[in-house]
Amino acid sequence: MADLATLVDLWPDALSPDERAAVRAAVQADASLAHGLRSLDAAEAALRLRLDADAGEDRSVFVLYALDRAGRADLLDADELARLTEARPVLDALVAALPALALVATRIGREAAEFEAAWQGALAADALPASTPSRQRAFEAPSDRSSRAPRPPQRRVARALWRTVALSSLALVIAVGGLIVQRDRAMLEAEGAGLVALAGGTTVRTMAGTHLAYPDPERTTVLRRRVQLNGDAFFDVAHTGEAFEVETPSATVSVLGTVFGIRSDAARTEVTLVEGAVDVAARAGGAVRLAPGQQTTIATGAAPATPSDVDLPAALDWSGLAVFRDTPIDDALARLAARSGTPVRADARLAGQRVTGTFDASRPLEEVLGALAVPLGATVERDADGYTLR
Amino acid sequence: MSLSAETVRRAQQGDARAREALLESLQNLLRGYFRRRIGGRDEVDDLVQNTLLRVHQGLGDLKDPERLQAFALKAALYEVQDFYRGRYSSRESLYDPDIPPESPEAPPDGAAIDAERVLAMLPERAQRVLELRAYGYRYEEIAEMIGTTEAAIKMQVKRALDRIRSLALVLAALVGTGALLAGRGIR
């Protein structure tokens, strides 16, 4: 029988072409494995059919059912309550037959609570006075300071996006790889996941669902290095002697040549510093300075939290990068192993070594290990059990 | 305040700027919300746009402007469920046509696995995991919902796979491989 580590890889959440090839190879060698995997697939498919058939066309009624179970019938209007009453016996029977649905209902209840928390955060953001200089400054592109631009760049993008949706009710604005819309000659906007190169060598890696407004790198004169961020991004700022600023709904982060990650939404901003120095100022007042390896969170309407030391690889896991800073080799390899599901070990010769560097964890594990091995003077070996650095 | 009942009223009455302000505030909120729910995936943008569409289309029917939050909340929850149930991307089945035919041990075409019997041979915990997988959740999310670690969930799957395989091997010895793989062996 194939070893346990390999088995779980054969039924992963999603299959890459490499994984399909690995499954094909393992299955050819072992008929009982083929039968086993086929059985699991068939079982899952049968369950899916039951979910589709019994829940019927109207999946929304299960959401109403879940909200009611969570004690939130107040969220339902009269029509919805009537629909729920009618569907309840069927849904009760379905949950009895497929007990995991009770867990789904509980999760939906939590999702509702999180939505309401996000709404409260958005209301708090709206309530910030519009006349404070920093907030107004956020919405002016440098070149337009004299001819005060009437609308902030984000609103123009929202309007353009909205027009697209309104024109065709089936239109979806997809931002795979980034949608870049030029709003005025000075500022560009990027939507979605991508890598943005700014003038002077600064790079910004944005995550899906993120909005970034930044000065056009083609322009030769930029009055100030400043970007606006709503979402999650990882920054590597080139040191030019001039301050670089990132503005989010709740904070302004000022840096000189440095590497850091920001997660932001309407309710709060979280800043994690890898190297260099950053000053984080809250829109509502108050500022802190971060040292490398520290993190602060600014809730909208509040001052920044006192910086705390964090485990950098864990704190920046969301960026898709493996960020190590003086990290013990065993911890670094454990993180890479956990992420990939493949065991990785270090030879005793490397004990006590530390790793510093930022690695793209979405690349194949072997590639990342290869890059990591170079400064250690080590080689990467593969065997049935995983990888070893010697 | 662009999420206020007043803004909703004005938007309902045809004030285009009020409607824009409303949708823009919603867009920002939804983007962060969906990112937290399903992670930084490309589908986040789709969920945002679809939810905005629901709100835009339903705004006229909203009798009480104070109820915008409840309306938007339900719209967002529907989109999240649609996401998990596979509306945005189809779930890959391991056994799509390109895999089995190359195996010399593959059963003749048309031989079906009895899914109900497979489920019946698995322990309760493994059945819950399969139910949640069928719903559309990933291992990480299933672990969170059951209140355990991702490693423990994967262990459930491994054990289920092992159990099916062991039973298959035992029965193959008793009734012959051909009959087993044709789905008739398990009683």
Side-chain angles (χ1 to χ4, degrees):
Chain A
M1 266 192 208
D3 69 81
L4 294 183
T6 316
L7 279 179
V8 75
D9 288 341
L10 294 180
W11 215 51
D13 282 321
L15 285 173
S16 70
D18 286 346
E19 282 162 337
R20 281 198 173 272
V23 169
R24 211 170 293 144
V27 151
Q28 276 179 346
D30 188 340
S32 81
L33 182 59
H35 174 77
L37 290 172
R38 231 177 16 247
S39 300
L40 281 182
D41 259 354
E44 195 187 305
L47 286 169
R48 225 181 352 257
L49 277 175
R50 275 160 74 178
L51 283 169
D52 284 337
D54 295 336
E57 296 302 312
D58 193 359
R59 258 183 229 157
S60 62
V61 79
F62 186 73
V63 170
L64 302 177
Y65 179 84
L67 289 174
D68 180 52
R69 268 174 81 115
R72 296 310 310 275
D74 60 293
L75 290 169
L76 277 57
D77 63 35
D79 286 340
E80 288 165 341
L81 282 168
R83 274 169 55 208
L84 175 59
T85 306
E86 197 187 316
R88 197 189 298 280
V90 173
L91 291 174
D92 282 339
L94 189 59
V95 172
L98 299 172
L101 287 178
L103 296 172
V104 176
T106 305
R107 186 182 174 95
I108 293 174
R110 268 205 310 274
E111 286 166 359
E114 284 183 26
F115 187 92
E116 287 178 317
W119 191 276
Q120 291 310 310
L123 290 179
D126 269 350
L128 281 177
S131 59
T132 55
S134 59
R135 188 174 164 83
Q136 213 164 30
R137 188 158 50 85
F139 296 130
E140 285 175 22
S143 67
D144 279 346
R145 203 164 288 142
S146 53
S147 64
R148 206 141 276 228
R151 286 178 189 275
Q154 283 109 323
R155 287 209 175 132
R156 280 192 223 118
V157 172
R159 191 153 33 118
L161 285 174
W162 179 245
R163 215 173 274 136
T164 310
V165 175
L167 282 172
S168 154
S169 61
L170 296 177
L172 295 174
V173 179
I174 312 293
V176 176
L179 165 72
I180 300 182
V181 177
Q182 187 162 3
R183 283 298 108 199
D184 66 61
R185 278 168 295 136
M187 295 290 272
L188 299 181
E189 318 259 349
E191 292 279 341
L195 192 61
V196 176
L198 306 183
T202 295
T203 59
V204 184
R205 176 185 291 256
T206 53
M207 306 297 124
T210 292
H211 177 273
L212 181 79
Y214 60 99
D216 186 344
E218 303 286 298
R219 284 175 70 85
T220 50
T221 52
V222 175
L223 291 177
R224 173 189 248 117
R225 298 199 296 167
R226 186 180 65 216
V227 303
Q228 291 146 28
L229 174 72
N230 188 338
D232 304 346
F234 190 84
F235 293 78
D236 191 337
V237 177
H239 201 310
T240 66
E242 203 184 289
F244 180 92
E245 285 180 1
V246 183
E247 287 177 344
T248 73
S250 49
T252 302
V253 183
S254 306
V255 306
L256 299 170
T258 200
V259 179
F260 57 99
I262 299 183
R263 290 204 288 181
S264 73
D265 57 32
R268 62 144 190 61
T269 298
E270 172 198 271
V271 185
T272 307
L273 180 64
V274 181
E275 64 182 55
V278 303
D279 284 330
V280 183
R283 291 289 181 80
V288 296
R289 168 162 288 203
L290 291 182
Q294 289 190 323
Q295 182 186 85
T296 182
T297 304
I298 308 91
T300 306
T306 308
S308 57
D309 293 317
V310 290
D311 173 42
L312 273 182
L316 287 168
D317 195 54
W318 56 263
S319 66
L321 301 171
V323 183
F324 303 124
R325 191 172 171 275
D326 219 34
T327 306
I329 181 105
D330 291 323
D331 293 349
L333 294 183
R335 175 153 295 274
L336 292 172
R339 203 192 179 94
S340 66
T342 306
V344 185
R345 284 167 304 278
D347 185 82
R349 170 180 93 79
L350 297 169
Q353 291 281 353
R354 288 171 174 265
V355 178
T356 296
T358 302
F359 304 91
D360 186 343
S362 65
R363 304 297 301 161
L365 179 60
E366 195 152 342
E367 201 180 296
V368 177
L369 291 176
L372 204 145
V374 169
L376 296 169
T379 54
V380 179
E381 285 176 15
R382 180 168 197 168
D383 55 47
D385 261 339
Y387 291 92
T388 306
L389 256 65
R390 282 192 204 288
Chain B
M1 295 215 293
S2 19
L3 290 176
S4 66
E6 184 47 43
T7 312
V8 175
R9 242 184 298 273
R10 286 187 0 239
Q12 286 175 316
Q13 283 157 7
D15 183 340
R17 283 171 77 161
R19 184 173 279 250
E20 266 182 51
L22 183 66
L23 292 169
E24 184 210 328
S25 294
L26 259 180
Q27 187 181 64
N28 288 335
L29 183 158
L30 290 171
R31 205 180 268 127
Y33 177 73
F34 288 129
R35 246 192 350 264
R36 304 281 159 251
R37 289 277 86 223
I38 71 169
R41 310 201 327 221
D42 296 328
E43 291 90 342
V44 166
D45 299 299
D46 295 352
L47 266 73
V48 171
Q49 293 303 328
N50 282 338
T51 308
L52 285 179
L53 203 52
R54 285 179 190 259
V55 172
H56 168 67
Q57 288 170 343
L59 203 57
D61 295 329
L62 194 64
K63 296 185 192 76
D64 180 358
E66 304 277 350
R67 298 282 292 174
L68 174 69
Q69 180 180 349
F71 186 80
L73 181 154
K74 283 174 286 188
L77 291 183
Y78 296 150
E79 286 303 316
V80 170
Q81 291 312 301
D82 276 350
F83 168 79
Y84 283 120
R85 297 308 312 282
R87 175 178 153 197
Y88 288 89
S89 57
S90 56
R91 277 294 290 277
E92 288 178 50
S93 163
L94 204 57
Y95 278 118
D96 275 342
D98 55 340
I99 299 189
E102 296 155 35
S103 162
E105 306 282 355
D109 280 356
I113 302 280
D114 188 326
E116 293 302 320
R117 282 202 279 222
V118 169
L119 284 167
M121 76 172 77
L122 299 179
E124 293 270 331
R125 274 178 296 178
Q127 290 185 37
R128 297 300 88 79
V129 173
L130 288 189
E131 286 166 20
L132 292 174
R133 286 263 306 185
Y135 200 94
Y137 294 107
R138 297 178 146 189
Y139 286 130
E140 188 187 332
E141 291 158 339
I142 294 174
E144 189 194 341
M145 290 163 80
I146 291 185
T148 181
T149 63
E150 194 176 336
I153 296 297
K154 288 184 174 179
M155 184 61 70
Q156 286 295 327
V157 174
K158 276 183 264 187
R159 289 206 194 109
L161 183 57
D162 275 348
R163 187 169 168 75
I164 296 168
R165 292 174 68 193
S166 329
L167 286 173
L169 285 171
V170 164
L171 285 161
L174 291 175
V175 307
T177 308
L180 167 75
L181 292 176
R184 287 192 298 276
I186 302 169
R187 222 161 285 280

